[in-house]
Amino acid sequence: MEEHDGVLQRRVLSGETRVYAQLVDRYRERLGRYALRMLGDRDDAEDALQDTFIRAYRALGRCEGPGGFGPWIYGILVNRCRTHAAKRARTRDIMVRSEMELATTPVASSKGYDGLRDTIYRALQQLPAEQREAFLLKHVEDLSYEDMETVTGVRPATLRMRVFRARDELRKLLSETVLD
């Protein structure tokens, strides 16, 4: 039977440091998907993910509250993704790559499922970071608005508006792509 996150956390804090690998294994895939969707680059996503696990390990004793380890580590990852995105924005690299990818990627209908997935991915990348973050946390990671508040530090009402605007903008972007 799988141990609860809190039990694993207490074991790590009591000196069983190898147990931390179980927490990493439990969250790696989901956190990795989120980081990739937020950052759009595998290397950046992996860097943010590794940085998240290191920071979480060092600060594990500060992980408290009703939400527990899951929302807490998502909060760390969200901050790491924001930091990585801000670094890229300063160098303007993201703008150049995004424009090149959009200009050279074939239309979704010519590639079937993979093309549709790529089209959705490109549409997500066009959203403002705050909307993309809220949309992914709600609809991909399936977090409640309360857990999203724990992760982002943003009030649920604001998060609901960001999710609403993201959905609205995605509808527009995807309908334009399908009609083209």
Side-chain angles (χ1 to χ4, degrees), residues 27-42 44-46 48-49 52 70-71 73-83 85 88 121 124-125 128-143 148 151-152 159 162:
Y27 285 91
R28 183 178 214 11
E29 188 176 326
R30 287 182 69 194
L31 294 174
R33 279 192 315 263
Y34 176 81
L36 182 58
R37 288 181 182 120
M38 278 304 296
L39 297 171
D41 179 87
R42 287 196 185 284
D44 286 347
E46 187 62 31
L49 186 62
T52 296
I73 198 162
Y74 263 103
I76 295 171
L77 180 63
V78 165
N79 287 330
R80 299 315 321 143
C81 288
R82 287 174 182 166
T83 300
R88 284 193 318 195
Y121 174 77
L124 277 169
Q125 295 306 306
E130 290 177 338
Q131 289 178 15
R132 183 172 60 247
E133 176 182 281
F135 181 86
L136 291 172
L137 288 172
K138 181 65 183 164
H139 293 296
V140 177
E141 301 306 326
D142 200 29
L143 295 181
M148 290 170 63
V151 167
T152 64
L159 291 166
R162 288 178 183 174

Side-chain angles (χ1 to χ4, degrees), residues 3-177:
E3 290 182 278
H4 185 271
D5 291 349
V7 172
L8 294 176
Q9 180 183 348
R10 284 188 293 280
R11 287 180 60 194
V12 173
L13 291 172
S14 70
E16 294 180 65
T17 56
R18 291 183 182 196
V19 173
Y20 188 68
Q22 292 177 37
L23 288 168
V24 170
D25 290 343
R26 187 172 291 174
Y27 285 91
R28 183 178 214 11
E29 188 176 326
R30 287 182 69 194
L31 294 174
R33 279 192 315 263
Y34 176 81
L36 182 58
R37 288 181 182 120
M38 278 304 296
L39 297 171
D41 179 87
R42 287 196 185 284
D43 290 335
D44 286 347
E46 187 62 31
D47 287 347
L49 186 62
Q50 292 301 321
D51 196 22
T52 296
F53 284 122
I54 291 168
R55 287 173 184 261
Y57 179 77
R58 290 178 179 158
L60 195 58
R62 292 187 296 217
C63 174
E64 298 175 0
F69 186 80
W72 180 74
I73 198 162
Y74 263 103
I76 295 171
L77 180 63
V78 165
N79 287 330
R80 299 315 321 143
C81 288
R82 287 174 182 166
T83 300
H84 278 271
K87 285 178 185 176
R88 284 193 318 195
R90 282 193 297 272
T91 63
R92 301 283 182 192
D93 183 45
I94 183 93
M95 297 299 285
V96 172
R97 268 193 291 171
S98 294
E99 289 173 6
M100 288 174 51
E101 287 173 359
L102 288 173
T104 60
T105 304
V107 177
S109 61
S110 67
K111 292 175 74 177
Y113 174 78
D114 287 338
L116 179 60
R117 186 186 64 219
D118 291 344
T119 300
I120 293 169
Y121 174 77
R122 284 193 312 275
L124 277 169
Q125 295 306 306
Q126 292 180 49
L127 293 176
E130 290 177 338
Q131 289 178 15
R132 183 172 60 247
E133 176 182 281
F135 181 86
L136 291 172
L137 288 172
K138 181 65 183 164
H139 293 296
V140 177
E141 301 306 326
D142 200 29
L143 295 181
S144 69
Y145 283 107
E146 290 74 25
D147 284 346
M148 290 170 63
E149 178 182 24
T150 301
V151 167
T152 64
V154 177
R155 292 186 352 228
T158 303
L159 291 166
R160 282 185 186 88
M161 182 56 68
R162 288 178 183 174
V163 170
F164 174 81
R165 288 182 177 155
R167 276 191 299 231
D168 191 46
E169 186 61 25
L170 282 172
R171 270 190 216 104
K172 289 177 193 171
L173 291 168
L174 293 173
S175 68
E176 291 170 4
T177 303

